[in-house]
Amino acid sequence: MQTIRGFRDILPGRIGLWQKVEKEASRLFEAFGFKEIRIPVLEKTELFARSIGETTDIVEKEMYTFDDRKKDKLTLRPEATASIVRSYIQHKMYADNPIRKFYMTGPMFRRERPQKGRYRQFYQIDVEVFGVASAYIDSQLIYLLHNLFKNLGLTGLSAHINSLGCPECRPAYQKTLLNFLEAKKDLLCENCRRRMSKNPLRILDCKAQTCQDAIKNAPAILDNLCDECDNHFKIVKTTLEKQNVDFIVNKTLVRGLDYYTRTAWEIQTTSLGAQSAVAGGGRYDKLVKELGGPDTPAIGFAIGFDRLVEVMEQLNIEPLEPGLDLFIIAMGNEAMDKAYHWSCNINQNGLRSETDFQGKSLKSLMKKANKLNAGHVLIAGDKEVKENAFILRNMETKEQVIINGDSLLADLINILKKQ
RNA sequence: GUGGGUGUAGCUCAGUCGGUAGAGCACCAGGUUGUGGCCCUGGUGGCCGCGGGUUCAAAUCCCGUCACUCACCCCA
């Protein structure tokens, strides 16, 4: 038996970086006033089809969709935004306070061909803000990402930003773009010719060299924004500059989901081959209304957790690896019984301790203590039990002290807490 | 979905012309009857990814399949 394609176990030996990220992310997000939200892994297919877009690759061919026993069409979530919007609307969160700031972490599912940094079950750290139209929040989210990555010790990342306009200016721009493309139609790849009718903006993002050449002088949405969008984007840029967040304005950054408006961005890395996006986000001012809620501006981003961890591994960033405060070596039945109760008691006091019940030799248990990275070892053999005096060894300095059995727990906890 | 590469011990890998499997690390034990990291000695550990075919004989050649991996596509 083995995991199915594109699915994987993340074992304890490699969990340190995951925990480090989770800890720092929730600390930072909470500081900025975000609240954790937890949502289901399974939703009605319709939710994703309507929000992500019927003609996107995700909905067309990447979702895990099936009929449940009552013939409802269900889908394992391919992303989190749709579900959070659904939740916001379902619980009428807009009623008593339309401004909501959420974060969450969890698995997403897309049936793509796996490769480096891309799995069929992958994890995202997701942040969403509802009810704030101001460009400052766009800037703040990018700032937040920048800081999270900086705090985690990441280097070599770059933020690409763009504006996709809004329903005021995008239709006119699309017409301009289509006019331009019509003349170049024969030069475009098959895929892009298909895109012309469905989502012409995406052609700008095509990686095919022939398409890149063909659209070199294509009109950019950035040059065709309405005044409000233009102003919005300017505030995002100047705010980032003031906070010393480096960014690159990338006119061809389009992003694959239909719901984005105005600001869109991506954090890219060069260390994962073709999978360059470590995080991506954007504004989606029309989605809440489209899904049946009140007209509410919204914006969010997602971090590719798996990718982030892989980048951290490449940079040799230290994982979170709590050592052991005390390893108790017990030899003989009576000692083992004592060791068991001591260990439980010490753990209740917030210290980390372990003991071994296999009845092995002192030497092999010392080796084990060493491997567990124990700060101290308590030695309890027949002799110590008989004399009611136990040996506490500091594994780093090799100093040993005798601890009387009567006050052992209190003394131990005292010594260990000082470390 | 398309194309390439790779599957041998827990891990990293070697294995010649087809002759039934090896190293380093890890693990266990001993060297030290009760003291870790270094060192030395020994030991455990293999359906050679799985299934089929060719052959007297297959880790080795052929076909299929599963998985991993890289690129395309797309995205996080």
Side-chain angles (χ1 to χ4, degrees):
Chain A
M1 288 292 278
Q2 56 183 6
T3 49
I4 55 179
R5 180 168 220 195
F7 287 66
R8 58 179 186 157
D9 300 318
I10 298 158
L11 303 176
R14 298 191 64 184
I15 210 76
L17 284 173
W18 291 78
Q19 290 177 336
K20 185 176 194 167
V21 171
E22 274 167 7
K23 204 172 163 187
E24 177 56 22
S26 58
R27 189 199 66 76
L28 185 67
F29 298 156
E30 295 279 346
F32 277 76
F34 290 79
K35 304 290 182 195
E36 187 178 357
I37 186 170
R38 301 193 186 188
I39 52 166
V41 170
L42 206 56
E43 299 267 7
K44 286 188 180 159
T45 302
E46 185 197 357
L47 172 65
F48 302 116
R50 280 176 58 190
S51 59
I52 296 168
E54 300 273 4
T55 62
T56 57
D57 280 14
I58 292 178
V59 172
E60 272 186 347
K61 51 193 193 202
E62 293 174 2
M63 295 201 306
Y64 281 96
T65 295
F66 55 91
D67 292 345
D68 85 347
R69 299 198 178 197
K70 284 191 174 172
K71 291 284 186 280
D72 288 324
K73 278 225 177 307
L74 305 180
T75 294
L76 282 167
R77 63 182 183 202
E79 56 115 43
T81 303
S83 300
I84 297 177
V85 171
R86 191 224 77 236
S87 178
Y88 180 80
I89 297 169
Q90 179 179 332
H91 302 288
K92 296 190 165 53
M93 295 192 208
Y94 45 81
D96 72 322
N97 176 13
I99 298 176
R100 299 284 183 149
K101 305 199 277 185
F102 301 116
Y103 72 95
M104 62 152 281
T105 298
M108 308 295 158
F109 304 85
R110 291 183 203 172
R111 218 198 104 91
E112 299 174 272
R113 189 90 177 250
Q115 76 188 66
K116 190 177 212 49
R118 188 170 75 190
Y119 308 96
R120 289 181 170 185
Q121 173 173 334
F122 61 103
Y123 294 79
Q124 286 190 336
I125 300 171
D126 205 80
V127 165
E128 312 287 345
V129 176
F130 294 93
V132 183
S134 163
Y136 281 105
I137 210 76
D138 306 41
S139 184
Q140 190 179 46
L141 290 190
I142 297 169
Y143 175 76
L144 207 57
L145 269 172
H146 174 87
N147 268 278
L148 176 62
F149 291 157
K150 195 176 86 185
N151 295 349
L152 289 171
L154 280 114
T155 52
L157 301 179
S158 53
H160 292 241
I161 68 172
N162 193 18
S163 176
L164 305 179
C166 68
E168 290 295 315
C169 50
R170 192 146 65 182
Y173 166 71
Q174 279 194 358
K175 255 179 220 155
T176 314
L177 179 64
L178 274 174
N179 280 340
F180 173 87
L181 291 172
E182 204 59 51
K184 307 264 182 183
K185 199 171 176 180
D186 298 339
L187 301 171
L188 297 176
C189 69
E190 200 182 320
N191 228 326
C192 282
R193 265 176 271 158
R194 210 166 51 94
R195 283 171 176 151
M196 282 182 70
S197 54
K198 296 203 302 188
N199 191 348
L201 279 185
R202 294 284 298 288
I203 296 173
L204 299 175
D205 208 23
C206 185
K207 307 287 189 301
Q209 192 56 48
T210 51
C211 294
Q212 283 294 319
D213 291 343
I215 60 169
K216 206 184 291 171
N217 297 312
I221 176 90
L222 265 189
D223 303 322
N224 290 275
L225 295 176
C226 60
D227 289 349
E228 277 187 41
C229 285
D230 192 49
N231 193 41
H232 188 98
F233 195 57
K234 276 186 182 133
I235 294 173
V236 174
K237 287 188 292 184
T238 54
T239 312
L240 288 173
E241 277 162 10
K242 271 190 197 167
Q243 290 180 303
N244 292 316
V245 177
D246 290 334
F247 61 86
I248 298 162
V249 174
N250 183 345
K251 292 181 179 183
T252 65
L253 179 72
V254 171
R255 304 191 51 71
L257 284 56
D258 283 357
Y259 53 62
Y260 287 118
T261 53
R262 291 194 169 168
T263 319
W265 73 92
E266 232 169 60
I267 310 292
Q268 298 189 2
T269 172
T270 49
S271 53
L272 289 181
Q275 307 306 318
S276 59
V278 183
R283 186 165 267 287
Y284 51 95
D285 287 340
K286 300 298 154 193
L287 184 58
V288 177
K289 190 174 185 187
E290 258 168 50
L291 291 179
D295 202 349
T296 307
I299 180 169
F301 66 76
I303 299 169
F305 205 152
D306 309 68
R307 288 181 187 176
L308 177 59
V309 168
E310 274 163 40
V311 173
M312 290 170 79
E313 278 169 355
Q314 292 216 345
L315 294 173
N316 288 316
I317 291 173
E318 287 289 306
L320 213 59
E321 243 175 325
L324 195 61
D325 295 309
L326 180 72
F327 185 72
I328 304 177
I329 292 177
M331 291 168 289
N333 290 339
E334 201 176 330
M336 234 178 254
D337 187 68
K338 283 180 186 294
Y340 169 73
H341 292 287
W342 288 336
S343 184
C344 290
N345 203 301
I346 286 162
N347 297 345
Q348 279 300 314
N349 278 276
L351 292 160
R352 289 176 298 260
S353 78
E354 245 192 287
T355 184
D356 184 286
F357 302 106
Q358 291 182 91
K360 296 188 148 195
S361 72
L362 177 61
K363 178 175 176 169
S364 89
L365 290 174
M366 283 298 291
K367 278 189 180 174
K368 182 166 182 179
N370 190 55
K371 204 162 50 191
L372 292 171
N373 209 358
H376 286 80
V377 165
L378 185 75
I379 299 171
D382 291 338
K383 185 178 148 209
E384 287 76 18
V385 170
K386 199 183 292 169
E387 295 172 5
N388 198 30
F390 301 86
I391 302 169
L392 181 67
R393 178 181 176 89
N394 181 319
M395 291 296 277
E396 204 164 333
T397 65
K398 301 186 178 182
E399 278 177 283
Q400 299 195 160
V401 294
I402 308 288
I403 299 191
N404 188 287
D406 296 334
S407 59
L408 184 132
L409 268 175
D411 291 350
L412 262 183
I413 288 164
N414 232 330
I415 293 169
L416 295 176
K417 282 208 166 161
K418 272 187 208 149
Q419 301 296 312

